[in-house]
Amino acid sequence: TTTTTTTTTTATTTTPTTTHDPNCDKLYAGDMFSSVSYGSNDGNVDFDGEWMESDELFGGALSGQVFVYGGELVMGPGSTTPNSLPEVCRKMDLSVASPGALLRFNFEFSSTAASADDVLIVKVSNNGGSTFSVIASYSGDYFVGSIPVTIDLNGFESGDFVVCFELESGFDQLLDTVAIDDVSIHYQDCSTTTTTTT
């Protein structure tokens, strides 16, 4: 059983507060969704496995409630009477990350069907998914066009880090969707930094 613990809910970009050390290695894992796959790695380090979906239509990256299309990860109800709304998650080893990792992505609600009832949440876990914290929430009536987001992950870095996108409520029309793109996690590794004294 997975427990979701809400610690922060915001409809705006979280401003990073950490100063990055120029002597540390700058690393990032990314997925630009340029191919129809849940396993793409477009950064200088890889995610820990593929995107894992909770999708009652079980279509994989090709179809269903979650799928990759047109260079984006698309999420929607999949039908006019879904029994449940989907989520999609990916793991990342942040065990060597110094405090202040950043999550970046773009998202866009469908302009023809989005409403205030449509809510996308972003949640993270630092224990492999045993518990989650909601770090952002976005409703369909507030945003128009593609929105770039940067969220500070300070305090969530661990070897068992998980990030999830979930349709929390609404999305009761077939064309009621949200598209997510350019997902990346940026961090610095200072474990190999050497200091020279004279």
Side-chain angles (χ1 to χ4, degrees):
T1 301
T2 298
T3 302
T4 299
T5 304
T6 303
T7 56
T8 304
T9 302
T10 178
T12 59
T13 299
T14 302
T15 303
T17 57
T18 303
T19 301
H20 288 264
D21 189 333
N23 297 314
C24 299
D25 292 332
K26 306 300 186 295
L27 304 174
Y28 75 98
D31 193 340
M32 307 298 106
F33 302 105
S34 54
S35 61
V36 181
S37 169
Y38 280 162
S40 295
N41 286 290
D42 299 313
N44 56 15
V45 294
D46 291 347
F47 286 98
D48 187 7
E50 300 185 350
W51 291 100
M52 301 296 293
E53 63 178 14
S54 176
D55 179 343
E56 65 181 30
L57 300 179
F58 305 107
L62 292 171
S63 64
Q65 293 177 305
V66 185
F67 56 93
V68 178
Y69 178 79
E72 297 175 318
L73 180 70
V74 181
M75 304 181 70
S79 71
T80 56
T81 56
N83 293 314
S84 61
L85 291 173
E87 72 173 14
V88 61
C89 305
R90 201 162 188 185
K91 294 183 178 181
M92 178 73 195
D93 183 356
L94 294 178
S95 58
V96 299
S98 298
L102 302 175
L103 170 65
R104 292 175 177 163
F105 61 94
N106 301 327
F107 74 96
E108 181 175 6
F109 285 92
S110 56
S111 59
T112 57
S115 69
D117 295 331
D118 303 328
V119 179
L120 167 71
I121 63 172
V122 184
K123 60 185 184 180
V124 296
S125 172
N126 61 5
N127 55 22
S130 295
T131 59
F132 281 93
S133 297
V134 176
I135 58 172
S137 177
Y138 308 99
S139 59
D141 65 325
Y142 187 78
F143 298 98
V144 178
S146 181
I147 306 296
V149 176
T150 299
I151 300 175
D152 196 332
L153 298 175
N154 191 21
F156 292 105
E157 300 92 342
S158 78
D160 294 314
F161 176 81
V162 184
V163 59
C164 298
F165 298 95
E166 178 183 349
L167 304 189
E168 184 182 48
S169 60
F171 295 93
D172 55 2
Q173 301 181 54
L174 187 59
L175 298 179
D176 209 352
T177 61
V178 61
I180 299 165
D181 193 14
D182 296 344
V183 178
S184 59
I185 297 173
H186 300 252
Y187 64 98
Q188 57 181 359
D189 177 6
C190 300
S191 63
T192 59
T193 301
T194 57
T195 302
T196 302
T197 58
T198 57

